[in-house]
Amino acid sequence: MRRSSGGKGSEMGFGVASLNLFLHLLLIQLAHGREFTSDNYLRLPSSNIGDEVEDDFSAQMMVESEEHEKENNGHFQAHSLSHMDQTDPNIMVFFTMNDLKVSKTMPIYFPKNDPSTTPPRLLHRDEASSIPFSSKELPNLLKFFSFSQDSPQGRAMEDTLRQCENRPIKGENKLCATSLESMLDFTREAFGWVDFSVVTTTYLTNLSTSFQNYTILEVPKEILAPKMVACHTMPYPYAVYYCHYQESENKVYKILLGGETGDKVEAVAVCHMDTSQWSRNHVSFQVLKIKPGTLPVCHFFAAENLVWIPTSE
Ligand SMILES: *[C@@H]1O[C@H](CO)[C@@H](O)[C@H](O)[C@H]1NC(C)=O
Ligand SMILES: *[C@@H]1O[C@H](CO)[C@@H](O)[C@H](O)[C@H]1NC(C)=O
């Protein structure tokens, strides 16, 4: 395994030859010590379960799925938009490039890792392909995982399947990856046959709270990445990543943040340079109080998301 320049623990570069090793390590990292029991199929926030599942879910999708509501196929979009009121801390991840300077302070939401819940396990492709992943199969899947349709888990599964089955918007490619192998295949397809690496947000301390004011401590570092594939975890009994990329220009940054409680985060953020095609209703425009196509829209990634970038030589 080769480290990319400037890489910390959160940045792993690899070539095709070392793919197996990487797979192995990531699978160990993600699956180690986790039993595939119904207790920890689905990671749920500990309090106020029903609402938060949906909030987390919607926020995550609204952050990255530009203008899906344009598609007009959905209950989900309408639902999440009405859900996203501007005081919801989950959506406090947006900023503009004007904010990208040392000493800038802004409130940011980073979901806390709850050590009492284990993240869902990432399946091997063989395992994943033996379980249907389709809303047509929802009744069987609910039975298989022992969740009732009305439970928060059941509703989350339904939402995830529906979101995964939505057609991508114009210019977007997407895949819901149910195994690391399928995520890597998708990424390889996006980048062509070049090395690539993954960058993630790293919490340098255990976060004392999910939502607080953070100050940019150092000059933000741009990670030169002509392309990127962002993969977001979705609530499901096993690990499912909603991966997507678009053709328009993005800039990727690593930003060292200090929280007012003393927490430290090495955050990965992306700036979407061209938002002219986004829906006017996109939640970021509401948060930032700007209009499509005016300023680039940037947002932070939660630690559990994966941002794949081609590795420059
Ligand atoms: C975070 O908390 C865990 C468990 O409570 C502990 O083992 C670990 O050392 C802590 N890490 C930091 C950076 O404080
Ligand atoms: C951030 O700081 C401002 C100004 O001090 C304060 O009004 C706001 O409540 C703080 N936000 C959070 C999330 O702590």
Side-chain angles (χ1 to χ4, degrees):
M1 185 179 305
R2 183 162 62 78
R3 287 270 158 112
S4 319
S5 58
K8 298 229 173 105
S10 60
E11 190 170 339
M12 291 166 275
F14 58 91
V16 174
S18 56
L19 191 60
N20 283 336
L21 176 61
F22 174 78
L23 276 170
H24 187 65
L25 291 176
L26 190 54
L27 285 168
I28 287 177
Q29 188 188 327
L30 293 172
H32 183 68
R34 285 167 195 154
E35 300 295 320
F36 199 44
T37 67
S38 65
D39 285 350
N40 59 18
Y41 270 146
L42 200 48
R43 177 179 19 178
L44 295 171
S46 44
S47 63
N48 199 4
I49 275 179
D51 285 351
E52 284 196 19
V53 167
E54 299 215 8
D55 281 351
D56 274 359
F57 179 58
S58 325
Q60 187 174 65
M61 291 317 304
M62 290 311 297
V63 166
E64 264 294 297
S65 74
E66 283 87 55
E67 68 175 30
H68 263 113
E69 68 271 30
K70 256 196 184 171
E71 285 284 278
N72 214 7
N73 56 354
H75 167 79
F76 172 72
Q77 285 82 12
H79 174 74
S80 36
L81 277 176
S82 63
H83 222 77
M84 304 254 84
D85 87 69
Q86 287 171 45
T87 57
D88 183 347
N90 283 305
I91 61 175
M92 298 307 287
V93 294
F94 297 103
F95 59 98
T96 68
M97 289 181 85
N98 298 335
D99 299 323
L100 270 180
K101 45 182 184 251
V102 178
S103 303
K104 171 72 190 181
T105 296
M106 52 191 149
I108 308 171
Y109 178 85
F110 285 112
K112 261 165 78 171
N113 292 330
D114 183 348
S116 70
T117 56
T118 39
R121 194 165 72 100
L122 192 61
L123 304 185
H124 284 282
R125 196 197 314 257
D126 293 351
E127 232 174 331
S129 56
S130 71
I131 307 172
F133 189 76
S134 153
S135 44
K136 284 200 196 82
E137 296 288 337
L138 184 63
N140 294 328
L141 291 167
L142 289 168
K143 209 173 293 168
F144 181 73
F145 290 113
S146 310
F147 294 125
S148 80
Q149 182 147 23
D150 298 333
S151 63
Q153 294 93 335
R155 282 189 288 128
M157 285 174 70
E158 188 177 356
D159 274 344
T160 292
L161 289 168
R162 188 171 43 231
Q163 191 63 25
C164 286
E165 288 165 2
N166 276 348
R167 276 179 304 118
I169 60 169
K170 192 159 170 279
E172 182 196 45
N173 289 281
K174 71 156 196 169
L175 171 82
C176 280
T178 54
S179 68
L180 182 60
E181 293 95 326
S182 61
M183 180 157 50
L184 293 175
D185 283 351
F186 179 75
T187 305
R188 199 178 292 123
E189 213 172 275
F191 296 157
W193 202 253
V194 298
D195 287 0
F196 49 92
S197 57
V198 65
V199 289
T200 58
T201 290
T202 309
Y203 302 154
L204 303 176
T205 56
N206 289 320
L207 300 189
S208 48
T209 171
S210 296
F211 187 47
Q212 60 177 300
N213 283 310
Y214 286 91
T215 301
I216 297 180
L217 298 179
E218 290 176 1
V219 178
K221 201 173 108 215
E222 184 176 351
I223 302 171
L224 291 175
K227 290 184 174 178
M228 61 167 279
V229 173
C231 296
H232 308 264
T233 55
M234 301 289 276
Y236 208 69
Y238 50 88
V240 172
Y241 285 88
Y242 180 106
C243 296
H244 66 152
Y245 62 93
Q246 281 158 323
E247 298 306 331
S248 61
E249 188 193 354
N250 301 304
K251 289 183 187 292
V252 183
Y253 292 93
K254 250 187 195 174
I255 304 168
L256 185 63
L257 298 168
E260 61 189 346
T261 63
D263 289 333
K264 266 195 181 175
V265 176
E266 187 187 53
V268 172
V270 64
C271 294
H272 300 284
M273 304 307 287
D274 179 7
T275 62
S276 58
Q277 297 307 306
W278 294 17
S279 159
R280 283 185 309 125
N281 296 325
H282 192 275
V283 66
S284 64
F285 300 136
Q286 295 168 32
V287 173
L288 297 173
K289 300 184 169 49
I290 60 173
K291 294 204 159 59
T294 51
L295 290 176
V297 168
C298 310
H299 66 82
F300 292 103
F301 285 97
E304 59 193 11
N305 297 325
L306 303 174
V307 180
W308 298 95
I309 53 172
T311 308
S312 48
E313 292 310 309

